[in-house]
Amino acid sequence: DVIIICVPTPLNKFKEPNLKPVQDSASLIKDHLNIGQLVILESSTYPGTTDDLLSKELEKSGLKANEDFFLAYSPEREDPGNKKFSTQTIPKIVGADTSSSRRLAQNLYEQVISEVISVSSSRTAEATKLTENIFRSVNIALVNELKVIYDVMGIDIWEVIDAASSKPFGYMPFYPGPGLGGHCIPIDPFYLTYKAREYDVPTKFIELAGEINTSMPHFVMRKIIDSLSLFSNKSISKSKILIIGMAYKKDIDDFRESPSLTLASILKKNKAKVSYHDNFIPKLPELGDFPNLSGMKSVNLTRKKIESYDAVLIITDHSYLDFELIANHSNLIIDTRNAMVGIKTSATVIKA
């Protein structure tokens, strides 16, 4: 009765949308499509995918969209690792180009979702998903840029954000980091920039945010090089580095687009001896984009192990981590998550 398409929508090496998984799914479905079925796309994509690409492929079955079968778009909303919200409690957006398709999609999701919000078209729903992630990308880029500026001035960006957060109106805190990860925020904005080119509309703001966020691992890398030279009198090529956290955010096992991968790869290319610790990711699989990391295994965190490294690089601040153990036995700590705030340590701590 209902077919829901939830497939990846990645980018190619030119930062352009790769909708082949959606196309292939539609091609498979069309050979088995029946009158009266409801097809819903949930994959993040640019406005027009549902009523253009998906509709045209399904209509090769000989059936007419929104007449013989029903078609809708309802973006996935998820915050991995967030225990405050579940699939059931996160409001669901539904968009379709006819009232019949909207009503059917809304009735479906109302069986399991607490609140379903219907919008006027599939394009509006597709744009809603992109807007949510572009909002986050741009604001994260802003604080990342401020981090770089304030670092030169000797100002702690984390203290600034905490102070600014005391304002009860007109401000929403976003936090800097070593770069963006996951399947949404680093990727979705480029779906809109790609589609906007079709209309000859510039997307400078969105593209600049992407450039800033993409540059963050290189900022962290400069911090590592400078800190090793200044405090250990060592070069990268002669250093042992322990990366804490391979996941792109805390308390999850997803390492897609993780800045840890980029940093580990750059460090290895610079002849550093690199290890990582992450209980959520005991072993890295074969990685086409990072072949020099394929098969790496997580090391255990012990006093002796930590003491053996020239620097500990905190990328992911998982809740289970014993930061006091890290603080007490590290020689040098490069902290990209403000994880060491309030923890006494004899080690040199550099925020990056």
Side-chain angles (χ1 to χ4, degrees):
D1 298 310
V2 182
I3 303 166
I4 300 176
I5 303 172
C6 314
V7 293
T9 46
L11 298 170
N12 64 22
K13 64 180 181 179
F14 303 110
K15 299 285 187 184
E16 295 174 338
N18 174 10
L19 289 176
K20 190 175 185 299
V22 175
Q23 186 86 40
D24 289 348
S25 298
S27 181
L28 174 66
I29 292 167
K30 80 174 190 302
D31 295 332
H32 307 280
L33 196 61
N34 295 318
I35 291 176
Q37 285 181 316
L38 170 63
V39 180
I40 303 173
L41 178 63
E42 287 205 357
S43 305
S44 300
T45 185
Y46 55 71
T49 302
T50 303
D51 65 14
D52 188 8
L53 182 149
L54 182 59
S55 177
K56 286 179 179 178
E57 186 64 30
L58 293 175
E59 286 183 339
K60 291 179 182 178
S61 65
L63 302 178
K64 185 73 173 173
N66 294 311
E67 292 182 15
D68 299 317
F69 66 93
F70 302 95
L71 191 60
Y73 180 80
S74 182
E76 177 194 59
R77 274 177 168 173
E78 186 179 286
D79 187 13
N82 189 332
K83 296 180 180 179
K84 293 182 180 179
F85 300 101
S86 66
T87 301
Q88 184 177 17
T89 61
I90 299 173
K92 195 89 164 88
I93 301 294
V94 168
D97 295 344
T98 65
S99 58
S100 296
S101 293
R102 281 196 300 275
R103 186 177 66 254
L104 285 172
Q106 184 165 351
N107 287 345
L108 170 74
Y109 287 115
E110 282 178 342
Q111 307 305 308
V112 291
I113 307 294
S114 300
E115 181 182 5
V116 179
I117 300 163
S118 181
V119 296
S120 61
S121 66
S122 59
R123 287 174 178 249
T124 301
E126 288 162 338
T128 299
K129 172 65 172 182
L130 295 186
T131 299
E132 292 169 6
N133 286 334
I134 289 169
F135 175 80
R136 293 182 66 190
S137 174
V138 167
N139 281 281
I140 291 170
L142 174 61
V143 294
N144 276 333
E145 185 168 67
L146 290 174
K147 173 181 73 173
V148 175
I149 297 169
Y150 292 154
D151 180 72
V152 176
M153 296 179 178
I155 299 169
D156 185 343
I157 180 65
W158 298 89
E159 186 179 2
V160 170
I161 293 171
D162 286 344
S165 297
S166 66
K167 186 179 180 182
F169 54 88
Y171 181 80
M172 179 184 295
F174 283 81
Y175 297 94
L180 292 180
H183 186 62
C184 290
I185 303 178
I187 294 173
D188 290 358
F190 291 102
Y191 268 71
L192 187 60
T193 61
Y194 171 84
K195 192 64 176 178
R197 288 198 291 271
E198 191 177 300
Y199 296 86
D200 292 323
V201 177
T203 53
K204 295 179 182 178
F205 209 65
I206 299 170
E207 292 178 59
L208 179 60
E211 290 174 15
I212 292 171
N213 290 327
T214 302
S215 72
M216 282 303 104
H218 301 285
F219 170 77
V220 175
M221 189 68 191
R222 290 195 300 272
K223 281 286 190 177
I224 297 170
I225 293 171
D226 292 345
S227 299
L228 283 169
S229 175
L230 182 61
F231 299 105
S232 304
N233 196 28
K234 282 194 172 185
S235 66
I236 281 288
S237 63
K238 296 180 179 179
S239 298
K240 288 182 64 181
I241 311 291
L242 174 63
I243 294 175
I244 302 294
M246 195 54 69
Y248 79 86
K249 65 180 290 190
K250 67 189 298 183
D251 301 340
I252 65 170
D253 62 357
D254 190 345
F255 56 87
R256 289 176 297 175
E257 310 295 326
S258 175
S260 294
L261 297 174
T262 301
L263 281 161
S265 181
I266 295 173
L267 286 166
K268 279 201 163 193
K269 287 176 181 177
N270 282 272
K271 311 283 188 208
K273 294 181 179 179
V274 182
S275 304
Y276 83 89
H277 167 80
D278 193 322
N279 284 347
F280 287 93
I281 305 169
K283 182 180 179 180
L284 292 175
E286 291 296 316
L287 298 169
D289 292 337
F290 302 99
N292 60 345
L293 305 183
S294 296
M296 282 185 69
K297 295 181 179 180
S298 174
V299 300
N300 293 326
L301 276 190
T302 64
R303 171 180 176 174
K304 187 175 180 180
K305 179 70 72 173
I306 295 169
E307 289 174 345
S308 70
Y309 290 96
D310 298 300
V312 173
L313 175 59
I314 301 174
I315 299 293
T316 317
D317 52 339
H318 291 306
S319 297
Y320 76 84
L321 287 165
D322 186 345
F323 287 109
E324 290 191 356
L325 177 71
I326 296 169
N328 290 333
H329 303 291
S330 297
N331 296 301
L332 173 65
I333 299 172
I334 313 295
D335 185 4
T336 71
R337 297 291 186 183
N338 204 34
M340 303 308 296
V341 65
I343 298 177
K344 292 182 178 179
T345 176
S346 58
T348 301
V349 178
I350 302 298
K351 294 187 179 183

